[in-house]
Amino acid sequence: MIKGDDDMVPRKHFHEELKDLKNMVLDMGELAEKAITKAMQSMMERDKELAKKVIEGDEEIGQYNADIEMKCYELLALQNPVAVDLRTISSSNRIGVELERIGDYAEDIADVVVDTAHKPLIGVAEDINRMAEISRKMIKISLKAFSCEEAYTVFKLAFDLAKYDDDVDNMYIQIFQELVTYLKQEKHGFFTCLNMLLVARYLERIGDHACNIGERAVYMITGERMKIT
């Protein structure tokens, strides 16, 4: 049986809705990446008020995730998607969760700033800031992979994520060792070092979530499971 033009309308509408879903994820990703940027800015500038704004903004990121989840359910109910369409919906839902966790870590960093803004930064803060730059770059790469529809490019971006993840892990170890040295030499107090270690740990976890997004992007386009971390 040959389908008429009227039969193609629902399918066309479905793909428009699918495109809207992906744009929602990308908008959420941009919001999460900006939250990390502002959280680190508040740390480096000892800006308690900016840190509070990051904390307040976490609710918007959480709402994005809720909206994405609802959109996924609506699309599943609209048609019975298969293959890449189904993987796009499931991956979008999962990536929304990953981005919400990234937003939570931005809030965690801001919480540290609120508690410690009255104290001067210690030397390791510069290393942590460089670590943050790589973590933010990883978020952008993972979202680029999600938006890409060419398998070769998605795999290439996934391998880039793996490289940067190794860099972030190595920087975390270096920062940990620096902080241990500070404590042994009694250069800084225990809680000052602990708070810096927490920020570094949050950034390391952000990198892991970016890798998870990259893995979902590979699965979405190819149907293959790939482990980046």
Side-chain angles (χ1 to χ4, degrees):
M1 179 180 177
I2 299 175
K3 293 184 178 181
D5 292 340
D6 290 343
D7 296 313
M8 298 300 293
V9 172
R11 192 67 182 166
K12 181 179 179 181
H13 176 70
F14 174 74
H15 279 103
E16 289 174 351
E17 292 292 321
L18 208 58
K19 183 178 180 180
D20 288 343
L21 173 64
K22 293 188 71 173
N23 286 335
M24 288 172 67
V25 173
L26 294 172
D27 288 344
M28 183 183 180
E30 184 179 355
L31 203 61
E33 193 270 329
K34 285 182 178 178
I36 299 298
T37 300
K38 291 179 181 178
M40 289 305 302
Q41 181 184 347
S42 72
M43 188 191 88
M44 298 305 294
E45 297 178 1
R46 318 311 291 148
D47 190 336
K48 187 174 182 178
E49 294 306 312
L50 180 57
K52 288 181 178 179
K53 290 181 181 179
V54 173
I55 295 170
E56 293 169 0
D58 186 62
E59 184 176 344
E60 183 179 1
I61 296 175
Q63 186 58 53
Y64 254 100
N65 184 41
D67 292 343
I68 287 169
E69 183 179 26
M70 183 58 66
K71 184 78 169 179
C72 289
Y73 291 150
E74 290 174 356
L75 288 174
L76 288 171
L78 184 65
Q79 289 196 17
N80 292 318
V82 295
V84 68
D85 291 343
L86 179 59
R87 295 197 301 272
T88 297
I89 294 172
S90 64
S91 295
S92 296
N93 192 32
R94 182 59 199 171
I95 290 171
V97 175
E98 300 288 351
L99 290 172
E100 184 173 28
R101 291 300 299 128
I102 288 174
D104 289 342
Y105 284 123
E107 182 183 17
D108 291 338
I109 294 171
D111 282 333
V112 171
V113 176
V114 169
D115 291 339
T116 62
H118 61 287
K119 298 179 180 179
L121 283 174
I122 61 178
V124 75
E126 291 294 340
D127 293 330
I128 293 175
N129 196 39
R130 284 191 288 272
M131 186 180 178
E133 290 176 2
I134 298 176
S135 296
R136 291 199 301 269
K137 182 181 292 186
M138 291 177 70
I139 296 172
K140 291 179 179 178
I141 291 173
S142 68
L143 292 172
K144 184 176 180 181
F146 171 71
S147 65
C148 183
E149 297 182 355
E150 184 184 42
Y152 172 80
T153 303
V154 173
F155 274 117
K156 183 179 182 301
L157 292 169
F159 283 117
D160 289 342
L161 283 172
K163 174 188 177 298
Y164 284 122
D165 187 57
D166 287 341
D167 292 341
V168 167
D169 289 345
N170 290 334
M171 292 186 76
Y172 176 74
I173 294 171
Q174 175 192 334
I175 289 166
F176 178 84
Q177 292 172 341
E178 284 185 63
L179 290 170
V180 169
T181 300
Y182 286 168
L183 288 172
K184 287 181 178 179
Q185 297 176 352
E186 298 183 351
K187 283 187 174 182
H188 300 286
F190 173 78
F191 286 106
T192 296
C193 292
L194 176 61
N195 283 320
M196 288 291 97
L197 183 61
L198 284 174
V199 173
R201 177 57 177 167
Y202 298 149
L203 293 170
E204 190 269 339
R205 291 296 297 132
I206 287 169
D208 288 342
H209 285 289
C211 287
N212 291 344
I213 294 171
E215 290 172 3
R216 294 301 305 193
V218 170
Y219 171 71
M220 182 180 73
I221 295 299
T222 67
E224 297 181 22
R225 300 285 185 178
M226 178 183 184
K227 195 67 179 173
I228 294 177
T229 54

